Amino acid sequence: MKSKFLTASMIAAALAAGFAAAPAMAQPGPYTIYAPGAPRQVQTPGIDNAQQAVSNRIQEGLQSGRITPSEARDLYRRDRDIQNREAAYKSDGRVTPQERQQLRADMANLSAEVERAIANNRNVPVAQQGGRLGAIDSQEFAISQRIDEGVRTHRLSLQEAGRLQQREQAIERREAAYRADGIVTQQERRQLRAELTDLRNEVERLINPRG
């Protein structure tokens, strides 16, 4: 319980720091030079720190067995959506106070959702989560986490991440269809594993392009 409140306090502090820094960053310093026609590089350190804190909390929940791989995948996807919205706000070279407030609210809601997921689940070993398709769920989560990491480190563009996410969602829909009758055949499992392997390889190819 202490860890939960400590993490929540850290996220709140990060968001507050971003709010305090916003006015100072709204006006570039007198020696700031921008290339002609290039968008200004807007910084949102408080929001970025809060995103990292939430990402770490999801990972902690997964490792402790309090968050399942499928839950972690969905939470990371929401985090990625917030990153996409943040990038869209920054695209014109500025982030308005209203946009900063929206991002802070989005992060606060996501943080609360993470804590609810952790509080609502029993401490179940990851290997036992997800039923008979636990390994496939874990593979899906690992791919989602890798995409999120690629966006966060700017090694994946938003367009690339969006395309990868569409493939990821298509595999999830196929998996749901396979589960619908309560039986997932060996052939269906092989199909899911093959598609996930192809997707993972594509993610790695984009993140680590060969020279």
Side-chain angles (χ1 to χ4, degrees), residues 115-129:
E115 296 304 331
R116 278 194 295 270
I118 290 176
N120 289 340
N121 285 339
R122 294 182 297 110
N123 193 348
V124 180
V126 173
Q128 298 179 16
Q129 296 176 5

Side-chain angles (χ1 to χ4, degrees), residues 11-205:
I11 294 172
L15 291 172
F19 178 76
M25 289 184 289
Q27 297 295 330
Y31 301 105
T32 302
I33 300 175
Y34 299 104
R40 298 183 177 185
Q41 296 299 311
V42 182
Q43 302 299 320
T44 52
I47 293 168
D48 294 340
N49 290 340
Q51 288 173 329
Q52 187 61 57
V54 167
S55 180
N56 292 343
R57 187 64 171 150
I58 295 171
Q59 186 64 31
E60 290 173 7
L62 182 73
Q63 291 176 345
S64 67
R66 306 296 294 274
I67 291 179
T68 67
S70 60
E71 288 173 332
R73 185 180 64 238
D74 292 340
L75 291 168
Y76 269 118
R77 184 170 297 147
R78 286 184 56 186
D79 183 37
R80 198 183 311 151
D81 288 342
I82 296 173
Q83 292 181 51
N84 292 345
R85 188 154 47 251
E86 179 184 2
Y89 289 159
K90 290 181 177 181
S91 63
D92 62 356
R94 64 189 298 266
V95 180
T96 68
Q98 293 81 3
E99 290 169 342
R100 291 176 186 271
Q101 183 177 1
Q102 179 62 56
L103 290 171
R104 288 194 296 270
D106 289 342
M107 288 307 307
N109 289 337
L110 178 57
S111 175
E113 183 63 27
V114 171
E115 296 304 331
R116 278 194 295 270
I118 290 176
N120 289 340
N121 285 339
R122 294 182 297 110
N123 193 348
V124 180
V126 173
Q128 298 179 16
Q129 296 176 5
R132 295 170 61 187
L133 292 182
I136 290 176
D137 286 341
S138 296
Q139 190 176 359
E140 289 172 335
F141 161 73
I143 291 172
S144 184
Q145 184 184 37
R146 189 68 169 142
I147 295 172
D148 184 77
E149 179 185 350
V151 172
R152 192 182 302 279
T153 58
H154 306 291
R155 299 171 76 179
L156 284 176
S157 69
L158 296 181
Q159 292 78 9
E160 289 170 336
R163 187 174 69 253
L164 293 168
Q165 184 171 334
Q166 288 178 348
R167 288 185 58 186
E168 183 184 21
Q169 290 172 337
I171 295 173
E172 290 173 10
R173 288 193 296 270
R174 188 154 27 254
E175 178 186 351
Y178 290 161
R179 290 178 187 257
D181 61 0
I183 299 175
V184 180
T185 68
Q186 289 298 322
Q187 181 179 356
E188 290 169 341
R189 291 171 188 269
R190 284 194 296 270
Q191 177 67 28
L192 290 172
R193 285 195 294 268
E195 292 182 8
L196 287 169
T197 297
D198 288 343
L199 177 57
R200 183 194 62 202
N201 291 341
E202 177 67 9
V203 171
E204 294 302 327
R205 185 186 67 80

